[in-house]
Structures are given as C-alpha cells and as structure tokens.
Amino acid sequence: MRRILLIGTGGTIACRQTADGLAPALSAAELLAWVPGAGQVCHTDFLQLMNLDSTNMAPAHWQAISRCIRQHYDAYDGFVVAHGTDTLAYTAAALSYMVQRSRKPIVLTGAQRPIDVDSTDARQNLLDSLLYAADPASQDVNIVFDGKVIAGTRAKKERAKSYNAFSSINFPCPALIQDGRIIRYVPSRPYGPDEVRFYHALNDAVALWKLVPGARPEMLAYLLAHYDCLVIESFGVGGIPEGLTGEFYAQMARWRGCGKQVVMATQVVSEGSNMAVYEVGKRVKQDFGLLEAYDMTLEAVITKMMWLMARGLPDEELKREFYREINHDILFTR
Ligand code: ASP
C-alpha cells in the first residue's frame, strides 16, 4: 500500500465555530478521522505544520511547507497539503516553482465548509486528494478540489462560496475524479527518480499594481523605489495608458541597469496578454524590454518572479527562465 503524508496547515477544512467566527482548530489527525474510507486507499501518516487561516499565509509559510516535503520526500510516495482556499492558488503556484520535476505527487486541497458539518465538501475533497496522491501516474504539484485536478500553476479561486471554487485558467484540467475513479486528460511526464529539484529562496519584494481608468502616475515611482519587481495588471491584451507613459519613461530611465523587473499582465482572466497588438503596448514593451505574462495566471507570475528574483540571475537569463515552462505554467510567448 502506498504511503502518503497528510500535512495540516489550517483553512476552513479544519475550522471550528468560535464566538469570533470560524477559526482553524482541527489537526491533520482529526481531519483524517472524518474520512474512514482513506484506509482503503493508502497508508496515511499526518503532520501538523501550522494552523492558519490562509489569509495569513506568506512566503515564509510556503518555505516551511516545501522544507517539510523535502525532509520527508524519501519516506513517502506522495503528499497531501490541507490548506485554506483563499490563498491556495498562490501556495500551489509557489510550490510548483519550489519543488520542480517531482515524480511524487504533491496535492493541495481544502474545502468551502468545515469537515465536521453535515453539508461539507471537505471529506470528499480529502478522500479524492488521497486517491490522487496514491496513484502511481500522479506527479508534480496539483490542486484537487470538487472532483477536479488543476495544475498548481493554473488555478484561480473564482467563487467565494460554491463548492466549485477553483477554475483551471488557460489550460485543461489534467484529470477529473468521479466516483473514486481518476480520468486523466494530460499525460504524465517521464521523470526519473532523481530529477526532483528543491528551491528554498524567495524574494518577496514583488508588488502588484492593478490599473484603473485614470490611474495616477505617482504610484509608479513609489512602487519601483520600494520593490524589486512590479507586476502591472493592465487592461485587455496589455498596454500602458497615455496618462502614465511620461512617468513610465522617466522611471524606467532612472532604474535601468538596477536589476528591477516590470511584468505586464492583464486583468482579463482568460486567454492572456499580447502587447504586440496595440500601439499602447507594443512601443513600451520594445523600449523597455518588459516581461509579459502571456497566458500565465497572476498567481503564477507573482510566485515565479519571487522565485526567479531570489536567484540573482543576469537580466537576459532571468528573462529566458521566466518564459521557460514549469508545471504547465505557460503555453505561448507570442
Ligand atoms: N478563510 C479560509 C482560508 O482561506 C477560507 C477557506 O479555507 O475556504 O483559510
């Protein structure tokens, strides 16, 4: 029987009602006790790493999760991380960069309702996650939620209350899980046993600026002075509004050669950016060599930049690495 490590980190799945509202309280051992069918699927050990509302998760917590997986990597066939849903997509993307080419599956799951209430989705999500983690064809970092398997770099929380909280953005679900059966749509990759790579360092000086019509230019100077990387969430396929262009040129001239990076992304969730289409994007991109998100999710862009910026790469290599596909994060760069 395959051996799986269940890592508890908190979230609604582990919440109890308190006078101040729901708060994480149940341990990984208590979660497992609610899923009696788990014993038929795999041998599960459990470990309580933290017990947080995932609103409080930060890059240091992602590092603690990946360190824990690394410590136990040889002893288990797969890992299930029980996690809050609010920032689950960020953690899944971060882990996709921190644990690469893993033949052993790392599954993240959670729930919209606590595991000890009658109408919960938690027991099914946890059972499905153990089933997926115990299957020899599973690999890499994925979210298992509401019967869907979503690549760790492709998930977005799109619904705040419904059970189908997560969508897979610009990429198909690698698998579905129906009535205890895994139906696969994306073939596994032929990783060797020693191919897994762990990375620990992250640079969390990555800021996001979501543009609104009439956005004021002063913000740009502040963000570039205080952060190493600025992700700009613009409109449509991507561009800089005329009202910001002057300040943009001034700031880019000021910071040129200082190792700062600017990534253009779009507020449109599906289908991605392409700055080459409109005058408002093409010229700025050419003049400054901006990076562009293309079809990557915002969660993937931000965590990939945190991972890349910590590696001290020369500009050109950083750019090449940004566009190199990892765990299905990017399909097109034109
Ligand atoms: N606030 C909770 C969390 O992210 C929500 C959830 O788990 O569904 O930890």
Side-chain angles (χ1 to χ4, degrees), residues 43-311:
H43 170 87
T44 311
D45 288 335
F46 38 80
L47 185 156
Q48 192 65 36
L49 193 58
M50 55 193 88
N51 222 344
L52 293 179
D53 190 303
S54 77
T55 299
N56 293 322
M57 285 269 177
H61 299 107
W62 306 336
Q63 288 172 319
I65 298 170
S66 80
R67 199 184 305 115
C68 175
I69 293 169
R70 183 177 199 159
Q71 273 165 5
H72 296 93
Y73 197 77
D74 292 338
Y76 290 95
D77 299 305
F79 300 84
V80 174
V81 180
H83 192 290
T85 62
D86 290 347
T87 62
L88 186 70
Y90 281 96
T91 303
L95 289 177
S96 298
Y97 300 117
M98 299 173 84
V99 191
Q100 295 182 25
R101 304 183 70 77
S102 175
R103 201 170 51 95
K104 300 185 178 185
I106 297 160
V107 175
L108 289 100
T109 196
Q112 294 285 56
R113 306 252 168 87
I115 202 160
D116 63 357
V117 304
D118 284 345
S119 60
T120 186
D121 51 338
R123 291 173 223 160
Q124 192 64 52
N125 286 347
L126 191 50
L127 183 62
D128 286 351
S129 297
L130 292 168
L131 185 78
Y132 192 75
D135 190 282
S138 301
Q139 57 182 204
D140 281 326
V141 178
N142 287 280
I143 291 176
V144 170
F145 207 98
D146 193 40
K148 282 188 283 198
V149 179
I150 302 176
T153 57
R154 289 295 188 173
K156 189 170 282 292
K157 185 172 180 183
E158 286 203 313
R159 287 167 205 85
K161 296 171 186 167
S162 309
Y163 288 162
N164 60 341
F166 290 92
S167 303
S168 180
I169 306 300
N170 299 332
F171 193 74
C173 287
L176 297 180
I177 303 178
Q178 284 168 356
D179 302 328
R181 233 175 42 157
I182 301 171
I183 304 151
R184 292 185 185 274
Y185 297 107
V186 176
S188 305
R189 288 170 164 174
Y191 296 147
D194 301 325
E195 268 187 70
V196 64
R197 289 286 168 271
F198 287 91
Y199 297 86
H200 186 73
L202 294 170
N203 177 350
D204 66 355
V206 175
L208 171 66
W209 185 18
K210 183 167 189 159
L211 298 187
V212 295
R216 295 187 186 169
E218 307 89 67
M219 188 86 152
L220 189 61
Y222 179 87
L223 291 170
L224 283 171
H226 289 83
Y227 291 87
D228 295 331
C229 172
L230 173 59
V231 180
I232 300 180
E233 241 193 355
S234 186
F235 313 112
V237 288
I240 297 286
E242 254 173 36
L244 299 182
T245 317
E247 182 66 7
F248 208 80
Y249 275 72
Q251 289 299 324
M252 294 307 275
R254 175 166 176 221
W255 294 107
R256 197 185 294 276
C258 295
K260 305 251 180 200
Q261 300 295 336
V262 177
V263 187
M264 186 62 62
T266 174
Q267 297 171 23
V268 183
V269 171
S270 295
E271 299 175 0
S273 72
N274 185 353
M275 291 183 74
V277 176
Y278 294 101
E279 197 186 348
V280 285
K282 191 169 181 172
R283 204 151 23 92
V284 184
K285 184 173 179 189
Q286 274 167 0
D287 289 352
F288 299 114
L290 302 184
L291 291 162
E292 187 172 351
Y294 290 108
D295 63 309
M296 295 174 75
T297 65
L298 187 71
E299 291 84 344
V301 167
I302 286 173
T303 55
K304 194 174 197 175
M305 286 310 289
M306 287 184 180
W307 166 64
L308 284 174
M309 299 290 295
R311 292 176 62 199

